[in-house]
Amino acid sequence: MEQVNVYKNSAHLYDLDQRDLVTADIPFYLGYAGKFGGGILELGCGTGRIAIPLAEAGYDITALDLSEDINGCLACMREHLNDGGIVIINVFRPFGTLDESWCYPETVQWERWDDATGSKVVKKHWGQRIDIENQIIYPGFAYEVMANNEVVERFADNLALKYYYYEQLTKLLQDAGFRIRKEYGWYDKTPIENGRELIFVCIR
């Protein structure tokens, strides 16, 4: 079976993304780490953009990535969670309606200069298809490395992303035995109904 969501071609360029989507969460998690202490497990750690700042701040953190079974993952987290510990779950909030409008042609998302190489990098993305019944979208993205206004390298990957609505995610958490302690819509603790994310702070 084809592997997706592994960023196998483009991981080395992922951290060029400077949108608030990939920076606003670090102070949020540092704040919770300072409040609760103890060991930290990050699932879905990607390039380590959250795990590394936590480790640099002196926290004992284990970071893992790539799990296909959300129910098994939640059950395992609950089983190994220390008394008094918390689990924080965050996912994108689906915007609009999951329909064919999520399929779209290749579009430029941003342009950046890579300080490590001195090259200009252009990120593009597109929507390939959608499985409406199962709430899965299949986007693709590519990083193009430029020189003299020409593409000299292109690194592309495909994703399969399942979206959960608020009611679905709260049921998953409750069925796994968690109690939801706090809900936020963004990392500044915006109310969940007004934010771009679904963030749940849970206890056993």
Side-chain angles (χ1 to χ4, degrees):
M1 184 175 66
E2 180 186 4
Q3 283 191 311
V4 294
N5 298 354
V6 294
Y7 295 88
K8 62 182 179 181
N9 298 317
S10 60
H12 64 294
L13 295 169
Y14 182 86
D15 288 335
L16 288 177
D17 198 333
Q18 298 172 359
R19 293 173 296 157
D20 65 342
L21 186 66
V22 292
T23 57
D25 51 358
I26 295 173
F28 177 85
Y29 288 114
L30 284 168
Y32 267 100
K35 182 177 180 180
F36 285 88
I40 300 170
L41 172 64
E42 184 189 3
L43 301 178
C45 63
T47 60
R49 63 175 189 82
I50 296 173
I52 291 171
L54 286 167
E56 289 176 341
Y59 296 104
D60 179 15
I61 182 166
T62 300
L64 304 173
D65 205 291
L66 197 59
S67 174
E68 297 182 357
D69 179 8
I70 187 171
N71 293 301
C73 186
L74 289 172
C76 185
M77 283 193 291
R78 186 183 186 281
E79 179 183 351
H80 291 90
L81 186 65
N82 291 337
D83 292 338
I86 62 169
V87 168
I88 302 176
I89 302 287
N90 76 285
V91 300
F92 297 123
R93 175 191 293 277
F95 59 89
T97 303
L98 289 172
D99 57 22
E100 295 300 329
S101 66
W102 288 66
C103 301
Y104 55 92
E106 189 169 300
T107 305
V108 173
Q109 187 172 28
W110 51 253
E111 300 179 1
R112 299 275 189 275
W113 287 96
D114 183 356
D115 292 337
T117 63
S119 299
K120 181 180 179 180
V121 178
V122 178
K123 184 182 180 184
K124 297 181 177 180
H125 64 108
W126 57 91
Q128 300 179 97
R129 61 189 177 93
I130 182 170
D131 179 346
I132 296 174
E133 180 179 356
N134 294 302
Q135 297 172 203
I136 301 174
I137 64 170
Y138 295 88
F141 64 94
Y143 297 88
E144 294 180 346
V145 180
M146 311 293 292
N148 299 319
N149 293 320
E150 294 185 356
V151 178
V152 294
E153 289 184 286
R154 178 179 167 99
F155 304 94
D157 279 301
N158 297 310
L159 302 180
L161 303 176
K162 182 173 178 65
Y163 273 77
Y164 289 91
Y165 290 101
Y166 173 86
E167 295 79 8
Q168 294 172 319
L169 196 53
T170 54
K171 185 177 187 305
L172 272 175
L173 292 169
Q174 290 163 357
D175 287 350
F178 288 108
R179 289 178 289 157
I180 299 171
R181 185 173 178 180
K182 299 284 186 181
E183 300 177 347
Y184 303 117
W186 192 244
Y187 300 103
D188 59 1
K189 300 184 179 179
T190 293
I192 197 164
E193 61 271 15
N194 298 328
R196 290 182 280 163
E197 298 261 307
L198 299 174
I199 305 170
F200 299 93
V201 181
C202 305
I203 60 175
R204 289 200 296 186

